[in-house]
Each structure stands twice: as C-alpha cells, then as structure tokens.
Amino acid sequence: MTAVFITGALIFFTGNITLGIWLLIGVIILQLVLNIVTDFKLYTAFHDKSNLAMTVIWAGLIIGLIILTILYTVIKIRRGHYVE
C-alpha cells in the first residue's frame, strides 16, 4: 500500500494527474477493503450486526469512489485535458 501511495504521488506531481489520482484512490480503496475484512472477521467472532452494517457502508464507499473517479476521468477526456 505504501508503494502504491508513493508511486501515485510521484506520478501525480510529475504531470500525469489522472493516473496519479487513480493510484491514490486505489490506496484509499485498499484501506477500505482492510476495514471490510476486519469488520467481517469481527462479525464472525462476536455475531454483532453492527459489523455487518459497517461492511455494507465500506462497500458503498468503495463503489462511490470508483464512480466518482470514473466521472472525473470522463469529464477530463471530454474537455480535452487528458494528455497521455
């Protein structure tokens, strides 16, 4: 996760902002996946339904981040700001 963050930051600051943002969002998604795994393990250990609710919330955040990042990329491409 640290390597992806450093790579994303370097790519972001060297000019390819879109790819850098995708990598930085990838780090956030990896952290949310770790939260999902933790909450699911806690649910199986203690059978507390609040952990299942948090798992659904984390999954919703991941889906939202992916949708917003795709929208950002599409808007940049349509405006002609996407430079490969």
Side-chain angles (χ1 to χ4, degrees):
M1 202 173 340
T2 304
V4 174
F5 177 76
I6 292 171
T7 304
L10 288 174
I11 290 174
F12 181 82
F13 288 118
T14 56
N16 193 346
I17 294 172
T18 304
L19 181 60
I21 286 176
W22 270 102
L23 289 172
L24 293 172
I25 292 296
V27 171
I28 294 170
I29 289 173
L30 286 172
Q31 290 174 346
L32 292 174
V33 167
L34 286 174
N35 286 344
I36 287 174
V37 170
T38 302
D39 279 326
F40 189 71
K41 292 290 184 180
L42 285 171
Y43 170 73
T44 57
F46 300 111
H47 301 291
D48 185 9
K49 295 199 187 298
S50 65
N51 294 104
L52 283 182
M54 287 307 296
T55 301
V56 172
I57 291 170
W58 299 135
L61 285 173
I62 290 172
I63 292 168
L65 281 172
I66 291 171
I67 290 170
L68 289 175
T69 309
I70 289 171
L71 286 174
Y72 170 78
T73 304
V74 168
I75 289 169
K76 279 193 71 122
I77 290 171
R78 286 191 179 172
R79 289 187 180 171
H81 297 292
Y82 189 78
V83 177
E84 196 56 43

